[in-house]
Amino acid sequence: MPRLYKCPFKHTPTFEEHSIQMKKTIYLSILFVILSHILFAQSIDNSFSQKKMQKDLEVFKNIRISANSGLYKYRTKQEIDSIYQWAEKQISHSTTYREFYTIICQLTDFEGSLHNDTKLPEKYLKNLRKESYGYFPYPIKWINGKWLINYEKGEIPLGSEIIEINGISIAEIIQSLYKYYTTDGENTTGKRIGLRTHFSKFYRINFGQQEKFKITFKRHQANIEEKIDLKSCSYSEYYKHFNERYSKPYDQIYYANLKENQKYKYKQVDNSTGILTVHTFNMGNETTNTHKNYLTFLDSIFYKIKTEKTQNLIIDIRQNGGGTDPNDLVTYSYLTQRKFQENKQAWISFKKIPYLKYIYTKIPRFLRPFGVIGYNKTFQEDFYLEKGNHFYQGPLSSDHQIREPNENAFTGNCYLLTSPAIASAGSLFAAMVTGNENTTVVGEETMGGYYGHNGHTPLGYILPESKIETFFSVVNLEQDVSKDSNQIYNRGIIPDYEVSQTYEDFLEQKDTQMEFVLKQIKEKLAK
C-alpha cells in the first residue's frame, strides 16, 4: 500500500484570499512605517514628556551648582534661582523636545560664558541636516544697526534691510535667537557672529519648520516697505547660500582652516607705521615647532621695528577667536613695559569631579571612577588652596608666573583693532594690550570679557533623558589687567573709537576700521 505524503507545496490562493493577504501586508507596512517614525526618527519636533524634562532640568541645575565656577560670575544667586523658577514654569506648558532644548539653551546663555555650549545629540543633528524644507533661504549680516541680506543671487536685493519675518519684527526675532550663541557676560555684539553664520538654523530651532516666509523689507535708502513670500529651503541649501555669501571675501578668514603661514603676518605700511596681524593663537605650545616658528617670527619682526624706529604699530586681531598658551602671553611681552602674569587668580568649585555617571565620555560608567582619578589628581595638585567652597590655584602655577617684557618690546603708539569675533585667549590678549597707556583701541566690542572669563579646562555632561550635551569651562579666571573706567565688568572690551563697517564699505568690500586708523595716524603725523 502506497505511503501517503502531505503535499509540501502551498495551494493556489483564491482571489478573496489574495485580497485579504494584500490588505494584511499593507496594514503591516503602514504599521512598520509608523513604528519606525516613532522609534527611529529623531526630530526635535517630537513630543517629549514633562516628567523627563523635569528630571533633566534637575540634573542640569545640580551639575551647574556643583561643577561650574562661573555660575555666579555675572549673576546673583537670586537671579539664578529666578531663571530656574522660570524654566520650571516653561516646562509646565511645553510638549516637545525642541521646546525643552530652547529652555536649556536659555539657562546656558544666561550664565554668561563664551565657553558654555549646549548641543543637540548627533542623531537629532543628523535629522536636521536631512530636512528638505523649513529654513530661511538667505544669510544676513548686521551693518550699522540693521540686519541686511548678505546674498546677491536671491529674490530680495543684496543689502536690503529685513523689517519683519512672518509678522514678527527682526529685532524681536534676533533677541529670541541670542540664547543659541554664548558670549561673556551680557555681551551681544559677539552673538552677531553666530547669527551671521547660523541664522537660519537658529530660526528653525526656535520657531519650528516653516513652509514659507512672509518678508517685509526695505531697499537701501528707500522709504517704502516691500513684501514678498519666500519658499523655505533645505538645511543644506541654506549653508550652500552661506558659503556663497556676499561678504565672504571680507570675513572668510574667520571660517578658514588656516595653514601655518596664514595665521600671522607683518606689513610695513611706510617708514612710520607697521601692521601686525594675528588671526589666531592656535600655534601649539612650547613643545611644538609651530610655536617655535612663531617665536622666531616675533623676534625678527620686533627687532626690525625697534632698529628701524617704527613709531606706530597696528595690531589686527579682529578674527582671533583664541588658541593655546603661551602664544598670547609671548606676543604681549613684545607690547608691554611692565611685568605681568596670565591670571591674578584662578579657582574651581570642586575637589573631585561631580556627577560622573552623566559625564561626557566614551568610558563605560563602571570604569569612570578609575579613569577620572588622574584628572582629579591634576586638579588637586594645581588647585590646592581651599577657601570656603572654592579651590584656588597655587602661587607656583605657570599661570601665575611673573613674566618680563621682551628687550625688543615696542614703545611707540599702538593701535589695537577689535571685533566681536575676538574670544578666549584672543580677548585675554586684547584686554592686556588695551590696558597699556600707549594703546588706542578701534573697532567693535569683543565677545570675550576685559576683566576675566571662565576657561582653560572644559567639562561635558549628557542629560540622562534628552541626551542633550552641555559643556562649560571650570576655571574661573581673573585676568591681569588694570581697572579702567571705560571697561564694564560684564561686557566685552569696549573700544576707544567705536567703528564698524559702513553700508557703502560692505558693498565695496572695504575695511572701514583699518582705513579709520590709517587716517588717524596720517592726521597725527601731519600735525
Side-chain angles (χ1 to χ4, degrees):
M1 191 172 179
R3 211 179 256 186
L4 297 174
Y5 293 93
K6 187 173 180 179
C7 177
F9 305 104
K10 295 181 181 178
H11 77 287
T12 304
T14 65
F15 178 81
E16 289 79 8
E17 290 173 325
H18 182 78
S19 298
I20 292 169
Q21 186 63 39
M22 285 294 292
K23 287 178 181 177
K24 286 181 179 178
T25 302
I26 292 170
Y27 292 150
L28 287 171
S29 298
I30 293 171
L31 182 61
F32 178 78
V33 169
I34 292 171
L35 288 173
S36 296
H37 180 76
I38 293 171
L39 295 174
F40 303 112
Q42 304 293 343
S43 170
I44 60 173
D45 299 307
N46 286 351
S47 60
F48 192 65
S49 76
Q50 291 180 355
K51 186 176 180 181
K52 290 181 177 180
M53 293 185 197
Q54 288 164 351
K55 180 178 179 179
D56 274 7
L57 176 65
E58 187 66 22
V59 170
F60 182 86
K61 181 180 179 180
N62 290 337
I63 287 170
R64 308 310 266 210
I65 291 171
S66 302
N68 187 4
S69 63
L71 184 62
Y72 304 113
K73 192 175 186 75
Y74 299 109
R75 303 293 185 181
T76 64
K77 186 179 184 303
Q78 184 179 3
E79 287 173 322
I80 293 296
D81 290 344
S82 179
I83 197 169
Y84 276 97
Q85 290 168 7
W86 165 87
E88 289 170 3
K89 290 179 182 177
Q90 287 296 110
I91 285 175
S92 68
H93 53 80
S94 297
T95 59
T96 67
Y97 189 96
R98 179 177 65 81
E99 290 172 314
F100 180 64
Y101 176 70
T102 63
I103 292 169
I104 296 298
C105 285
Q106 187 72 62
L107 295 171
T108 304
D109 180 56
F110 187 74
E111 292 172 3
S113 173
L114 64 85
H115 290 108
N116 280 6
D117 197 9
T118 288
K119 298 179 179 179
L120 290 165
E122 184 58 32
K123 58 187 178 182
Y124 286 94
L125 288 173
K126 282 183 178 178
N127 191 71
L128 285 181
R129 296 184 194 114
K130 292 177 183 176
E131 288 180 337
S132 60
Y133 78 96
Y135 291 79
F136 187 82
Y138 307 131
I140 62 175
K141 185 175 181 178
W142 185 92
I143 299 288
N144 281 348
K146 299 175 181 179
W147 286 95
L148 309 182
I149 293 293
N150 189 16
Y151 189 71
E152 199 172 10
K153 306 171 189 174
E155 296 174 67
I156 302 177
L158 170 70
S160 295
E161 178 189 358
I162 300 296
I163 306 297
E164 283 186 350
I165 301 177
N166 290 346
I168 305 174
S169 72
I170 190 64
E172 187 177 343
I173 291 170
I174 294 299
Q175 185 69 38
S176 69
L177 303 186
Y178 276 166
K179 58 181 168 281
Y180 301 112
Y181 199 83
T182 58
T183 57
D184 278 350
E186 296 182 25
N187 166 264
T188 58
T189 61
K191 294 178 183 295
R192 297 175 198 156
I193 302 299
L195 289 165
R196 181 179 75 188
T197 311
H198 303 295
F199 174 77
S200 187
K201 182 175 78 171
F202 293 165
Y203 188 103
R204 183 267 180 269
I205 291 172
N206 201 70
F207 296 101
Q209 276 181 291
Q210 309 291 316
E211 290 280 356
K212 62 180 181 179
F213 298 92
K214 294 181 178 292
I215 312 296
T216 303
F217 70 93
K218 282 200 309 186
R219 299 170 193 259
H220 181 56
Q221 293 185 333
N223 295 321
I224 301 172
E225 293 184 357
E226 300 181 50
K227 296 181 184 294
I228 188 173
D229 286 359
L230 290 181
K231 185 180 178 182
S232 70
C233 71
S234 68
Y235 177 101
S236 59
E237 190 176 0
Y238 166 75
Y239 282 103
K240 180 176 180 291
H241 290 166
F242 175 75
N243 286 324
E244 296 170 347
R245 67 194 179 280
Y246 183 78
S247 66
K248 186 173 182 177
Y250 182 79
D251 56 35
Q252 180 58 16
I253 285 290
Y254 184 74
Y255 303 96
N257 185 16
L258 299 174
K259 297 178 182 178
E260 185 180 354
N261 62 357
Q262 296 174 312
K263 293 180 179 180
Y264 48 86
K265 61 183 178 181
Y266 178 78
K267 176 184 176 182
Q268 193 74 33
V269 178
D270 53 36
N271 292 335
S272 68
T273 304
I275 303 172
L276 173 64
T277 302
V278 186
H279 292 311
T280 177
F281 286 123
N282 187 21
M283 277 90 76
N285 59 26
E286 294 96 333
T287 64
T288 64
N289 287 330
T290 50
H291 170 76
K292 293 171 185 176
N293 292 341
Y294 183 58
L295 293 187
T296 301
F297 164 80
L298 288 175
D299 197 53
S300 63
I301 288 303
F302 280 93
Y303 177 78
K304 178 183 177 181
I305 289 171
K306 185 174 183 178
T307 56
E308 294 183 0
K309 298 181 179 179
T310 301
Q311 296 172 258
N312 306 294
L313 181 62
I314 301 170
I315 310 292
D316 185 1
I317 56 166
R318 286 174 291 173
Q319 307 299 337
N320 197 315
T324 49
D325 288 338
N327 298 300
D328 49 349
L329 303 174
V330 170
T331 310
Y332 180 68
S333 72
Y334 285 91
L335 297 167
T336 186
Q337 304 303 308
R338 70 178 178 99
K339 294 180 180 181
F340 65 97
Q341 57 191 135
E342 181 172 0
N343 304 311
K344 288 182 178 178
Q345 67 174 20
W347 59 273
I348 60 176
S349 56
F350 56 84
K351 194 168 187 177
K352 293 183 179 179
I353 298 172
Y355 292 97
L356 283 183
K357 64 180 178 179
Y358 304 125
I359 206 79
Y360 182 91
T361 178
K362 293 181 180 179
I363 299 173
R365 185 179 293 183
F366 73 95
L367 290 175
R368 290 176 194 176
F370 302 100
V372 83
I373 288 173
Y375 215 50
N376 280 332
K377 186 179 179 182
T378 302
F379 275 126
Q380 290 162 12
E381 288 175 351
D382 203 15
F383 298 88
Y384 62 85
L385 295 176
E386 186 172 355
K387 300 178 185 178
N389 295 322
H390 299 167
F391 299 88
Y392 285 82
Q393 216 166 30
L396 299 180
S397 168
S398 61
D399 290 357
H400 301 305
Q401 171 190 341
I402 303 299
R403 298 172 182 266
E404 301 279 345
N406 190 278
E407 61 181 359
N408 292 322
F410 180 70
T411 58
N413 303 313
C414 184
Y415 296 86
L416 181 68
L417 292 181
T418 61
S419 83
I422 297 173
S424 194
S427 56
L428 183 147
F429 170 79
M432 296 175 87
V433 176
T434 297
N436 292 345
E437 291 184 4
N438 65 334
T439 297
T440 301
V441 185
V442 176
E444 299 170 88
E445 181 184 342
T446 64
M447 187 189 308
Y450 175 81
Y451 291 102
H453 66 282
N454 258 63
H456 285 200
T457 308
L459 277 188
Y461 288 89
I462 300 176
L463 301 185
E465 300 296 335
S466 64
K467 307 303 179 185
I468 288 172
E469 301 167 1
T470 185
F471 303 85
F472 51 91
S473 288
V474 299
V475 183
N476 193 319
L477 308 166
E478 182 185 344
Q479 293 167 183
D480 183 15
V481 295
S482 58
K483 288 187 177 181
D484 187 333
S485 59
N486 191 44
Q487 303 302 327
I488 304 167
Y489 176 69
N490 62 349
R491 294 272 298 279
I493 298 162
I494 310 296
D496 299 307
Y497 294 92
E498 189 170 341
V499 180
S500 57
Q501 193 179 38
T502 65
Y503 182 88
E504 291 73 20
D505 287 351
F506 161 66
L507 290 182
E508 296 177 23
Q509 306 282 11
K510 284 186 178 181
D511 191 337
T512 309
Q513 294 157 347
M514 184 64 78
E515 291 192 1
F516 177 90
V517 171
L518 291 172
K519 184 180 178 182
Q520 288 276 102
I521 293 171
K522 187 176 180 180
E523 289 176 353
K524 283 187 178 181
L525 289 171
K527 291 178 182 178

